[in-house]
Amino acid sequence: MSKKSWFVEKFEYKWWHKLPLLFIVLQLSALNYRLSTLSAQESQTAYNFLRLPVSAHVAALGGENISLIADDATLIFHNPALINDVSDRTINLNYMTYMEGAKTASAAFVKAAGERGTWGVNAQYMDYGSMKETTADNEDLGTFSARDIAIGGTFAYALTNNISGGVTAKIISSHIAGYSSLAVGIDLGVNYFDEDHDLSMSAVARNLGGQVKAYDDEFDRIPFDLQLGATKRIGHSPLRFSATLSRLTDWSQGLGRHLALGADILLGQNIYVAAGYNFRRASEMKISDSDGDSAHGAGLSLGAGLSLERFKLHVAYGKYHVSASSIIINISYAL
């Protein structure tokens, strides 16, 4: 029996159980207003590897999802409040192909803390491979490497039988040749889950914080992202739909550019197939050629997963860079 099911049985539902969720949503809305004047395009922020999906299930649902209720340790990277549904002592390993010569890997460990709490640790690593180094006069100086690393700790707590909150604190570093930078960040998340109606709603503020050490003392912003999302299963059918709004502090583009849509087909208790579409990604990677404007498949994503009692395997396909498509693989095991 999941923790959330245990709380449903132990606590009588009251209308005021929604108040913590309402309070946090209002706080995030106020934060959205205060930061709206500080919005920036992705090229103006550092550590943009933090924008890439880690969960293959999330990637399959359009690359943005903060409301998926599943026994999936990779959700720690997307909404810290969701790890309350992850099996105790779950270890998770992930790998993602990226643009030519670049690879990214990540790992997480999740453990129960009492009856209502869950804690976890996670790490992300992006290796951009070797690059040619030259002078301003095009003199060949050999090669150099570049990499990004993020290490975080997460704690989630069931505030009521329907509402969970979570926080992740992380240290982020970047290394290019002989130079380095360092930043600290916090993710805040809250989730409301109505098990009777299979409805999940979440709000997340990702990457709150900033650099403490910069390249040449030119401080960059880290990629703050305010998100709202919902996931709903249609009755007793195998269909489950998700909608997620991201980057809600940047309104330089229309509402549609903030939207990611996804759908699952649940093939029994253990297998799903999923597909999604990310409108922002399709727009950002649109290329003009002799045939007109085309995103060449960017924005569309597909995936599938197998979830057994102890072993989980998830695989997804998507396009996150104009030069190549990506495959994401997640493997989890409950010790």
Side-chain angles (χ1 to χ4, degrees):
M1 181 181 295
S2 69
K3 290 183 181 178
K4 200 153 287 186
S5 297
W6 186 87
F7 286 123
V8 169
E9 292 180 2
K10 290 292 184 179
F11 295 96
E12 180 184 3
Y13 178 74
K14 304 286 187 181
W15 66 268
W16 44 262
H17 285 167
K18 292 186 179 180
L19 290 180
L21 176 63
L22 178 60
F23 175 76
I24 294 175
V25 170
L26 290 175
Q27 290 297 311
L28 292 179
S29 299
L31 180 64
N32 179 14
Y33 176 78
R34 292 196 298 270
L35 292 176
S36 62
T37 58
L38 301 177
S39 62
Q41 298 300 318
E42 180 170 315
S43 61
Q44 296 174 290
T45 60
Y47 316 112
N48 285 303
F49 76 106
L50 297 174
R51 294 196 188 277
L52 296 174
V54 174
S55 167
H57 200 165
V58 168
L61 294 172
E64 304 283 0
N65 190 294
I66 58 172
S67 53
L68 184 64
I69 301 297
D71 185 358
D72 185 351
T74 62
L75 299 178
I76 194 173
F77 296 97
H78 298 273
N79 181 354
L82 297 180
I83 66 170
N84 267 342
D85 286 287
V86 178
S87 295
D88 186 24
R89 299 193 303 163
T90 293
I91 187 169
N92 158 252
L93 299 173
N94 314 296
Y95 182 78
M96 174 183 177
T97 61
Y98 194 46
M99 60 184 178
E100 182 66 27
K103 302 293 185 291
T104 179
S106 58
F109 178 75
V110 175
K111 190 178 189 313
E115 295 179 342
R116 298 195 182 196
T118 307
W119 64 265
V121 292
N122 62 82
Q124 293 174 260
Y125 178 78
M126 168 71 82
D127 186 346
Y128 297 94
S130 297
M131 289 167 273
K132 186 177 181 180
E133 182 177 6
T134 63
T135 66
D137 297 323
N138 204 33
E139 178 184 353
D140 190 353
L141 299 178
T143 61
F144 68 95
S145 62
R147 63 188 184 277
D148 292 328
I149 301 170
I151 299 173
T154 300
F155 182 73
Y157 192 78
L159 302 170
T160 73
N161 56 310
N162 293 88
I163 300 171
S164 291
V167 57
T168 295
K170 52 193 172 185
I171 298 174
I172 313 153
S173 66
S174 180
H175 304 266
I176 301 177
Y179 300 90
S180 64
S181 67
L182 184 69
V184 293
I186 293 176
D187 297 345
L188 300 174
V190 63
N191 171 256
Y192 169 79
F193 179 54
D194 182 346
E195 189 173 26
D196 292 336
H197 298 91
D198 215 333
L199 170 66
S200 171
M201 298 183 293
S202 293
V204 172
R206 297 179 63 190
N207 304 318
L208 288 159
Q211 283 189 314
V212 295
K213 179 186 176 185
Y215 294 114
D216 297 326
D217 294 326
E218 294 183 4
F219 287 82
D220 294 317
R221 305 211 312 261
I222 66 175
F224 174 77
D225 194 352
L226 181 63
Q227 301 181 333
L228 298 173
T231 297
K232 178 72 172 72
R233 185 169 180 171
I234 306 303
H236 298 289
S237 76
L239 296 177
R240 181 172 60 188
F241 293 97
S242 295
T244 307
L245 294 170
S246 61
R247 305 196 202 179
L248 296 179
T249 58
D250 178 10
W251 290 103
S252 59
Q253 297 177 322
L255 178 64
R257 300 287 179 88
H258 298 266
L259 181 63
L261 296 175
D264 287 303
I265 300 178
L266 307 174
L267 305 176
Q269 296 294 321
N270 302 321
I271 300 174
Y272 72 87
V273 294
Y277 192 79
N278 189 304
F279 292 87
R280 176 186 290 274
R281 187 165 295 117
S283 175
E284 288 178 339
M285 288 198 273
K286 188 172 292 186
I287 299 175
S288 298
D289 52 29
S290 57
D291 297 325
D293 295 338
S294 174
H296 298 282
L300 178 66
S301 54
L302 304 167
L306 171 68
S307 182
L308 304 177
E309 183 177 358
R310 290 182 176 271
F311 177 77
K312 276 81 176 172
L313 173 65
H314 306 268
V315 180
Y317 163 87
K319 193 169 184 178
Y320 308 101
H321 193 274
V322 293
S323 66
S325 299
S326 295
I327 299 294
I328 301 177
I329 300 173
N330 302 151
I331 297 175
S332 298
Y333 186 78
L335 301 176

